[in-house]
Amino acid sequence: MAELSLITPIEYLKGVGPQKADVLKKELQVFTIGDLLTQYPFRYIDRTEFHKIRKLHPDMMAAQVLGRLVSLQLVGEKRTKRLVGSFKDETGSMELVWFQSIPWLQKSLKVGSAYIIYGKPSEFNGQLSITHPEMDLYNPQVKQAGNMSLQPVYSSTEKLKKFNLDTKGIQRLQQTALETVFRSIGETIPQEIMAKHQLVSHQQALASIHFPSNQKELNQAIKRIKFEELFFIQLKLLNNKQLNTQKFRGQRFNKVGEKFNTFFNERLPFPLTGAQKRVVKEIRIDTNTGAQMNRLVQGDVGSGKTVVALMSMLLAVDNGFQACMMAPTEILATQHYHGLKQLVGDDLVSIKLLTGSTSTKERRLIHQALEEGTLDILIGTHALIEDKVQFKNLGFVVIDEQHRFGVEQRAKLWRKNVIPPHMLVMTATPIPRTLAMTMYGDLDISVIDELPAGRKPIKTVHFFESSRLRMFGFMREEIAKGRQVYLVYPLIKESEKLDLIYLEAGLENLQREFPLPQYKISIVHGKMPVKDKDFEMQRFVKHETQIMVATTVIEVGVNVPNASVMVIENSERFGLSQLHQLRGRVGRGAEQSFCILMSGNKLSKEGRLRLDTMVRTNDGFEIAEVDLELRGPGDISGTQQSGVLDLKMANLATDQALLTECRSTVIAIFKEDPTLQSEKNYLLRSFLAQKSDGIAWDKIS
């Protein structure tokens, strides 16, 4: 019979078979023996230590006790029926309780016998008990099988348990898998790197992660597995980056021309910050190397990314190319269009807007102007990637709010010219350094970390429900000064599960406090037709209404410089990055702006940490770091869908040092051997060869 290996389908492993294989595939995405071995334990139980009953307390995660079962009796009727055992050692007694499998337990449990029990202690009416403990008859003559010190505990589901695949069942399969394929587990990392970073072998790591004989062995296995995960992500990304610069020629923008200079010297409404100058310079250098640029610019809301994008597009126009800018929503695209028109005036360059609501006649004119080359800059939504949109000579592409676009959509813009255009990707969602190194490791990253002159940092305060009248008073004062206020709710309709002051009830309350005709209120929420939404938005923009009540649809990109107060209701229900985005809607003008976080009187530990962070700092990067620690990397910027973060063991919030170490190691390898041709890099070469199916990630920023 052929020898089994890591790539053997899971049904061929002894003890699995077709039915169990089906449920393993559906519940755990385990298709091969290798997949099974990467289902790592999420904790370990120390079974060497025994506790005395007198020392047990409800705060313990779990405890193991050696004692005697002295009695068993059935208690209660129908639904409350349970089996209760009295269990003793020399220091005291406790109860053992079972609600299920009672007939079987009555047959198999032996009153008067000594048992080793294991479970979580709890206290009820002053009496200590363990519900559904694990029970093993104590026999001092029998040597305990398996690893007694650190027993692995695996995640399971109800469906898996029906097939006896609870944590013990999975443990048995892992043992069989290791015995079956152990000899065929090959090495994945070159010997030299393993020696330098003191890593155990791949084989050793897989054996020790499932069945460690002591804590030191377990720690070595964890280090090796984390290193491997982060190392191969970096290898893939930096290889792509390298391919990009070698493979793809870029247009050379070798002159800074009259349009750029006219704008810089005559039209710029305020001096550039140091950070903006630095980023413009980086782009200027990139676009003159002859390689295609892929750069991510991240900067907080209001840090002046749009001006940087405009200056880069003018650079392209000066060098005889066209530029385009793609935004995720029509509101945002329209806003960019008006903002840029205002900055450049009417005579400097030709700019047009293309969205879903552009009329057919206007569309035709835009298409024609693009193909003839008389249109310099096109701003738009997804409409830009339609095949009908053809440029004469596209040289520069700006993508705003990068994470809202899928890989395929970006790739389409990429193919709009024979020599691919330079790509500038912008995001106002600050990304923690570790995440940026992992998700966008193949892009060069620029950070705009200063606010333009004259912008005052937003003051943030946190009020509990009991201070609502203070909040209303504050709103009245600001409105009396001629300012406008946003009021944001998390929900539209009452939800049974969440006792939120939902938008409609809040609105009634608000209309009583701010009655017509003195005060006017706009309402915007996700369920409204686009026309009504835009109408209400416009009323607010034109200052016909003083208060905008909204659900989070205003999160991205609405610019109303006169709005100086942002009130966020039930702020404890929002994630940190969302709170930060919402806060960025105010503070667009020169006036002092405020953000008021309203919350219920009871807060969870996490909720309090989020609100305290918001009050303490305006720094988006610091906020993003806290967010990463609280939520894990999965949620931030849609990383899950990108398939980049296939991390089972490494954690971007806590393993920053290791990630940096892996990245430097990979950089050093490519520096010495760019194409990995040397014999010692054979394993890395074969890893990249087998991974290069599917979407060509190396072609897309």
Side-chain angles (χ1 to χ4, degrees):
M1 185 181 153
E3 194 178 323
L4 304 187
S5 71
L6 291 175
I7 57 171
T8 304
I10 190 68
E11 45 266 43
Y12 295 108
L13 181 67
K14 188 178 168 202
V16 178
Q19 284 180 310
K20 280 188 182 171
D22 261 3
V23 71
L24 281 166
K25 287 173 193 174
K26 285 191 184 112
E27 296 290 295
L28 296 176
Q29 270 62 61
V30 166
F31 296 92
T32 63
I33 295 178
D35 292 341
L36 176 69
L37 288 173
T38 59
Q39 291 291 323
Y40 306 124
F42 67 93
R43 65 184 170 94
Y44 299 84
I45 297 170
D46 185 353
R47 298 298 284 260
T48 51
E49 190 184 354
F50 287 91
H51 290 85
K52 296 296 177 198
I53 290 178
R54 198 179 60 216
K55 293 279 174 71
L56 298 181
H57 53 85
D59 297 342
M60 297 169 109
M61 279 296 290
Q64 181 170 251
V65 185
L66 172 60
R68 200 169 290 281
L69 184 63
V70 290
S71 71
L72 259 189
Q73 63 184 74
L74 259 181
V75 178
E77 289 294 316
K78 288 184 181 165
R79 286 198 152 173
T80 60
K81 199 164 162 191
R82 59 198 184 278
L83 186 62
V84 179
S86 174
F87 190 74
K88 271 189 174 161
D89 69 3
E90 69 277 19
T91 67
S93 72
M94 63 185 294
E95 283 189 343
L96 307 179
V97 186
W98 294 270
F99 295 96
Q100 284 157 350
S101 315
I102 292 173
W104 179 77
L105 285 161
Q106 285 174 310
K107 264 197 234 121
S108 53
L109 291 174
K110 298 173 182 163
V111 174
S113 296
Y115 280 93
I116 295 172
I117 68 160
Y118 181 84
K120 176 166 178 32
S122 55
E123 198 175 316
F124 184 66
N125 289 341
Q127 169 74 33
L128 259 176
S129 65
I130 292 182
T131 306
H132 286 271
E134 289 178 25
M135 306 277 290
D136 290 305
L137 264 174
Y138 175 63
N139 183 347
Q141 269 73 50
V142 177
K143 185 179 176 296
Q144 292 292 347
N147 165 27
M148 284 311 292
S149 62
L150 290 161
Q151 280 196 358
V153 181
Y154 297 93
S155 297
S156 183
T157 65
E158 287 309 313
K159 278 189 183 152
L160 286 165
K161 285 174 187 164
K162 283 183 186 153
F163 288 86
N164 289 333
L165 292 173
D166 54 0
T167 179
K168 278 204 167 154
I170 294 174
Q171 188 181 327
R172 278 194 296 273
L173 285 187
Q174 296 287 14
Q175 203 159 358
T176 311
L178 278 168
E179 285 162 6
T180 312
V181 301
F182 189 74
R183 293 219 318 279
S184 70
I185 295 173
E187 194 41 74
T188 54
I189 291 179
Q191 210 50 49
E192 192 180 300
I193 297 171
M194 282 170 58
K196 185 181 166 196
H197 296 277
Q198 297 172 321
L199 301 172
V200 296
S201 72
H202 187 49
Q203 202 180 36
Q204 175 65 50
L206 281 178
S208 301
I209 198 77
H210 293 291
F211 302 105
S213 45
N214 53 42
Q215 192 61 45
K216 183 183 172 203
E217 203 177 271
L218 176 61
N219 293 347
Q220 287 175 327
I222 291 173
K223 180 186 171 184
R224 159 70 205 229
I225 290 168
K226 285 182 171 185
F227 185 94
E228 184 163 329
E229 288 180 348
L230 296 169
F231 176 82
F232 282 116
I233 284 178
Q234 292 303 323
L235 186 74
K236 212 159 44 171
L237 287 167
L238 289 162
N239 181 53
N240 291 348
K241 186 173 176 178
Q242 189 172 272
L243 286 174
N244 227 348
T245 31
Q246 295 161 357
K247 210 172 6 185
F248 301 114
R249 284 185 307 138
Q251 318 281 10
R252 254 185 211 277
F253 296 174
N254 46 23
K255 65 170 190 209
V256 176
E258 151 231 4
K259 294 187 190 321
F260 183 96
N261 285 324
T262 307
F263 175 74
F264 184 70
N265 297 321
E266 297 168 25
R267 309 272 166 95
L268 199 60
F270 40 77
L272 294 181
T273 62
Q276 284 173 310
K277 284 181 183 156
R278 186 184 69 237
V279 176
V280 170
K281 189 174 172 191
E282 286 167 348
I283 292 168
R284 166 92 190 86
I285 292 167
D286 275 359
T287 51
N288 195 18
T289 58
Q292 187 231 356
M293 173 182 92
N294 274 309
R295 186 170 283 280
L296 171 73
V297 172
Q298 40 178 138
D300 251 331
V301 174
S303 59
K305 295 185 296 296
T306 315
V307 169
V308 169
L310 173 61
M311 291 174 76
S312 314
M313 293 194 284
L314 291 174
L315 194 64
V317 176
D318 272 337
N319 283 276
F321 295 98
Q322 293 164 303
C324 72
M325 182 171 186
M326 183 158 87
T329 63
E330 206 161 303
I331 290 178
L332 201 50
T334 311
Q335 198 170 292
H336 277 314
Y337 171 69
H338 292 305
L340 294 178
K341 282 290 278 186
Q342 208 176 336
L343 283 167
V344 294
D346 294 331
D347 51 346
L348 197 60
V349 286
S350 60
I351 302 185
K352 285 273 184 268
L353 174 69
L354 179 65
T355 67
S357 16
T358 308
S359 69
T360 316
K361 185 182 167 195
E362 175 71 0
R363 220 169 257 257
R364 226 180 274 123
L365 293 171
I366 290 176
H367 289 172
Q368 192 181 342
L370 274 182
E371 287 173 41
E372 288 167 358
T374 52
L375 177 56
D376 300 318
I377 296 175
L378 180 60
I379 314 288
T381 53
H382 299 75
L384 297 187
I385 54 185
E386 290 168 5
D387 294 338
K388 291 195 290 289
V389 181
Q390 294 296 330
F391 294 81
K392 182 178 185 191
N393 197 1
L394 179 64
F396 200 91
V397 172
V398 180
I399 293 179
D400 191 25
E401 281 312 326
Q402 126 91 15
H403 59 274
R404 303 272 180 122
F405 292 106
V407 174
E408 292 293 349
Q409 293 167 316
R410 301 202 290 276
K412 281 187 173 162
L413 276 176
W414 216 87
R415 301 189 191 107
K416 297 268 182 191
N417 203 348
V418 185
I419 293 180
H422 295 296
M423 283 277 188
L424 181 68
V425 168
M426 304 199 301
T427 176
T429 312
I431 302 157
R433 228 188 66 203
T434 47
L435 201 55
M437 268 160 54
T438 316
M439 282 170 57
Y440 303 117
D442 51 344
L443 300 181
D444 294 302
I445 294 178
S446 299
V447 175
I448 305 184
D449 47 12
E450 290 172 59
L451 281 182
R455 284 267 172 97
K456 298 190 178 95
I458 301 162
K459 282 188 182 156
T460 305
V461 289
H462 168 210
F463 284 168
F464 288 106
E465 189 49 49
S466 45
S467 310
R468 180 164 291 279
L469 293 176
R470 256 178 84 192
M471 184 266 284
F472 283 148
F474 183 72
M475 281 172 65
R476 279 194 202 92
E477 281 169 34
E478 288 295 299
I479 291 172
K481 292 179 195 162
R483 315 254 192 283
Q484 288 164 282
V485 179
Y486 289 111
L487 214 101
V488 179
Y489 286 90
L491 284 182
I492 304 165
K493 278 273 185 273
E494 188 170 20
S495 146
E496 272 100 8
K497 294 198 182 94
L498 306 177
D499 53 340
L500 300 187
I501 317 165
Y502 59 112
L503 190 137
E504 288 160 7
L507 196 59
E508 283 169 31
N509 195 359
L510 200 66
Q511 283 162 339
R512 273 200 303 277
E513 294 286 336
F514 296 91
L516 287 160
Q518 192 183 349
Y519 298 101
K520 295 191 182 66
I521 300 175
S522 280
I523 303 165
V524 176
H525 58 71
K527 299 271 192 315
M528 289 165 78
V530 176
K531 275 209 314 286
D532 301 357
K533 230 189 272 187
D534 287 346
F535 174 73
E536 287 290 327
M537 290 270 195
Q538 285 313 316
R539 282 178 62 201
F540 190 64
V541 171
K542 292 176 190 151
H543 204 166
E544 290 167 15
T545 59
Q546 298 97 331
I547 302 171
M548 157 80 81
V549 177
T551 55
T552 47
V553 288
I554 59 162
E555 185 182 336
V556 173
V558 187
N559 191 2
V560 184
N562 191 49
S564 65
V565 183
M566 166 65 72
V567 180
I568 303 174
E569 292 282 6
N570 292 100
S571 55
E572 73 273 25
R573 309 275 178 167
F574 289 95
L576 256 177
S577 57
Q578 219 180 1
L579 288 171
H580 182 63
Q581 283 275 352
L582 284 168
R583 172 166 65 186
R585 297 292 116 233
V586 293
R588 294 307 186 95
E591 304 305 332
Q592 176 63 60
S593 288
F594 302 89
C595 175
I596 301 176
L597 305 171
M598 297 297 295
S599 81
N601 294 327
K602 277 191 187 151
L603 282 181
S604 67
K605 193 168 142 213
E606 253 190 33
R608 183 172 290 280
L609 175 61
R610 284 203 298 268
L611 300 187
D612 289 351
T613 305
M614 288 293 294
V615 172
R616 188 185 78 244
T617 178
N618 276 313
D619 177 352
F621 290 93
E622 195 182 327
I623 287 168
E625 292 287 350
V626 178
D627 201 25
L628 179 63
E629 277 168 43
L630 282 175
R631 297 196 299 173
D635 301 343
I636 296 181
S637 311
T639 42
Q640 289 308 50
Q641 52 144 5
S642 69
V644 176
L645 289 187
D646 198 11
L647 299 176
K648 289 200 157 82
M649 181 72 70
N651 175 336
L652 294 183
T654 51
D655 297 323
Q656 302 196 359
L658 190 61
L659 174 61
T660 312
E661 196 180 314
C662 290
R663 191 170 172 89
S664 333
T665 306
V666 175
I667 290 171
I669 292 170
F670 278 129
K671 202 169 179 179
E672 186 191 313
D673 180 11
T675 53
L676 303 179
Q677 285 311 307
S678 78
E679 193 44 48
K680 66 179 181 185
N681 291 327
Y682 161 74
L683 288 170
L684 307 182
R685 199 165 68 238
S686 54
F687 169 82
L688 289 172
Q690 75 189 20
K691 285 286 176 190
S692 61
D693 49 350
I695 291 176
W697 286 92
D698 53 325
K699 296 194 181 56
I700 297 154
S701 69

